[in-house]
DNA sequence: GGATTTGTGGAATTACTGTTACAGAAGTTA
DNA sequence: TAACTTCTGTAACAGTAATTCCACAAATCC
């Protein structure tokens, strides 16, 4: 009873908590453990519940009073300051069972790390540099489940630079969207397993028009790879019904971050102007 | 005056302190900042002086009351706990040829792992169970940068179960989309920082209609949390221009995977039928 | 060495915080 | 839908902590 951290106790209760109790728990875990060191009223306000609920919450945690609970937090903090453990260490769950979410997210994290090995740093950097040159237009397209990624990337790139075009919808084959493509233009295509034939058509057309294709795909590589100048493969395999695209989003966000950095001069103005609205 | 840390202020005073004042200072710096978070009496005992001296000491430091002093300590602590991420973000930008992608993806992976601590396993399971009950309708909506997450979730849930409705676009306030909402219906809302006022309106309307709101948000919790029955906070902070949503997608994919599992009986048929086409 | 100023701790006071009781709302079950 | 149970917030209450006051001690200055 005494050896457990407060965060550990919260995880133990888990289902035993009521709706408002969870809000309290979330608030505390959200900025741990500072909120718990504040007076009850402040804790309550920060968690969006009443003071009474906070008191009941700490009682459920097994403390006989709120000051008692705070003492535990302080001692815990003292403990930690002696060894350079991080915030995460205090919050980590016990290895007792294998909760679905924890397992799944751990696998997601692993895929992220595998992806590091799959992508050449130089190639990534080159793609980002190309993206921050605003002379050329840049076209984006995705397939059935990856179209959202194209949309996400588009939304951000639009804020950073001009000349972004999105190829929309199913009849992507329709060549009228590609009619303005000039040699040397950039095209970012997303294609993952159950590779989309329509996407391959688009790639072929782009290739004919001498566009430079950036392919973002899974570890088995879409057939588009043959036409791609740059290729960024991501780890997606899950062994379940659906493959997972979180690692791809990670790479997309890395691209956004890097391109924003590289073209900060112009980007900062655009962002200011567009966000201000 | 406001920007300085408490430790810094002590150092500034230094000579100006009286004999007993020094004891207080030494005590506090001895196990900083925990002793300052304790009640005055405890601080006094720990430093070997009287309570009155402690009060005078914090007054000399420039605080107008002891609680005020404690607030400063808490904020300082909060500041410090957030800095490692930001420091990491800053470091990676410095050396020209540093492995930007590797650093960024490692941070993404870390956010994924932090998210595990933020979400209660029981709550996650409950949400998934509710989603696999097909009696109720389920509504989805997202804000500016999170709408694509709603779309991604929608696309998969549609394959798994009927009764999925997406609230689209900007004028989401338009109540006609919500007119059919019945008490007990489920609504999954995405809202991250730069919280969307329109989304809050939607949440309020849904709340009035007794819908059960599942909120997927960042670690600072959208104001919608007040109306939400279930809340799944994700780690998104990057210290850069844009926050990162890969962890949110990770959670979304976990939901998809779990719901698919739970309702495999009916889901497998639907997937077969719809995918075959 | 006595008078004066300054620092300190103990006790009274005050303000505020944590606690509890109660009433209303929400959820659950028949 | 209605009765019952559980939960939650409001508000009054009680307890404790912070603050102030005062007497005493220490150091400093005539």
């Amino acid at each position: 009873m005494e050896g457990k951290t407060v965060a550990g106790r919260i995880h133990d209760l888990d289902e035993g908590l009521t709706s408002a109790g969870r809000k309290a728990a979330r608030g505390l875990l959200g900025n741990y453990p500072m909120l718990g060191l504040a007076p009850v009223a402040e804790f309550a306000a920060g968690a969006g519940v009443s003071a009474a609920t906070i008191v009941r919450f700490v009682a459920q945690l097994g403390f006989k009073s709120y000051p008692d609970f705070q003492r535990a937090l302080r001692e815990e903090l003292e403990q930690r300051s002696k060894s350079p453990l991080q915030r995460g260490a205090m919050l980590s769950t016990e290895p007792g069972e294998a909760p679905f979410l924890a397992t799944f997210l751990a696998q997601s994290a692993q895929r992220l790390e595998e992806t590091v090995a799959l992508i050449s740093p130089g190639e990534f950097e080159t793609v980002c540099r190309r993206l921050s040159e605003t002379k050329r237009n840049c076209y984006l397209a995705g397939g059935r489940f990856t179209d959202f990624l194209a949309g996400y990337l588009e939304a951000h790139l639009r804020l950073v630079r001009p000349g972004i075009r999105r190829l929309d919808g199913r009849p992507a084959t329709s060549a009228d969207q590609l009619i303005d493509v000039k040699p040397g233009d950039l095209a970012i295509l997303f294609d993952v397993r159950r590779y989309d034939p329509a996407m391959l058509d688009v790639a072929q057309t782009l290739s004919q028009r001498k566009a430079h294709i950036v392919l973002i795909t899974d570890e088995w590589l879409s057939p588009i790879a043959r036409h791609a100048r740059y290729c960024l493969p991501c780890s997606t395999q899950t062994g379940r019904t659906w493959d997972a695209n979180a690692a791809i989003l990670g790479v997309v966000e890395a691209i956004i971050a890097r391109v924003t950095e590289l073209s900060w001069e112009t980007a900062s103005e655009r962002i200011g102007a567009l966000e201000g609205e």
Side-chain angles (χ1 to χ4, degrees), chain A:
Chain A
M1 184 61 141
E2 274 305 316
K4 291 202 74 69
T5 69
V6 174
R9 296 190 191 202
I10 292 174
H11 277 292
D12 287 349
L13 277 183
D14 198 31
E15 301 232 47
L17 286 170
T18 66
S19 160
R22 287 228 180 78
K23 283 189 187 174
R26 270 195 299 273
L28 180 56
L29 293 175
N31 66 7
Y32 189 83
M34 278 59 89
L35 200 56
L37 294 167
V40 172
E42 203 170 314
F43 188 167
V49 296
S50 74
T53 299
I54 299 298
V55 172
R56 286 189 276 258
F57 171 66
V58 304
Q60 271 190 302
L61 252 44
F63 298 101
K64 84 175 194 303
S65 72
Y66 190 74
D68 207 47
F69 158 75
Q70 291 190 313
R71 181 181 315 275
L73 281 178
R74 285 200 308 273
E75 281 168 6
E76 203 175 302
L77 211 51
E78 205 165 339
Q79 213 60 22
R80 179 176 58 156
S81 74
K82 280 163 186 161
S83 63
L85 288 174
Q86 280 184 339
R87 199 178 95 115
M90 300 172 70
L91 297 174
S92 67
T93 54
E94 300 302 318
E97 336 167 8
F100 185 91
L101 181 66
T103 308
F104 191 96
L105 291 186
Q107 288 166 354
S108 297
Q110 197 192 327
R111 280 189 291 272
L112 242 341
E113 274 152 16
E114 287 167 5
T115 301
V116 175
L118 290 175
I119 297 179
S120 145
E123 196 163 3
F124 172 81
E125 183 66 14
T126 306
V127 167
C128 292
R129 288 227 133 83
R130 293 291 309 269
L131 271 170
S132 44
E133 295 163 7
T134 53
K135 292 167 198 165
R136 303 292 182 182
N137 280 337
C138 177
Y139 296 81
L140 292 139
R144 181 175 189 178
F145 289 124
T146 50
D147 199 52
F148 298 107
L149 293 165
Y152 186 80
L153 182 53
E154 178 204 12
H156 284 86
L157 286 183
R158 269 190 193 287
L159 290 175
V160 174
R161 55 159 284 183
I164 302 294
R165 301 276 184 287
R166 172 110 171 269
L167 307 176
D168 55 354
R170 285 292 79 212
T173 324
S174 55
D176 35 323
Q177 295 184 74
L178 301 175
I179 205 161
D180 289 329
V181 175
K182 295 186 180 58
D185 277 357
L186 221 50
I188 303 183
L189 302 185
F190 293 83
D191 196 32
V192 297
R193 207 166 49 175
R194 246 64 171 325
Y195 304 111
D196 193 332
M199 199 58 56
L200 184 56
D201 288 344
V202 172
Q204 276 163 342
T205 306
L206 285 164
S207 184
Q208 280 163 17
R209 292 178 175 277
K210 309 287 187 194
H212 295 174
I213 294 176
V214 178
L215 172 64
I216 301 182
T217 183
D218 54 31
E219 57 264 63
W220 300 282
L221 302 189
S222 150
I224 294 177
R226 300 181 62 77
H227 303 92
R229 179 153 197 148
Y230 310 105
C231 180
L232 308 177
C234 306
S235 176
T236 64
Q237 187 173 30
T238 63
R240 297 172 188 273
T241 308
W242 315 105
D243 280 336
N245 296 316
I248 304 186
L249 181 56
V251 171
V252 166
E253 291 184 322
I255 293 173
I256 292 167
R258 186 66 182 136
V259 172
T260 303
E261 258 184 25
L262 286 172
S263 46
W264 185 243
E265 290 284 309
T266 63
S268 53
E269 295 173 22
R270 290 176 65 89
I271 293 169
L274 293 167
E275 292 261 311
E277 144 273 332

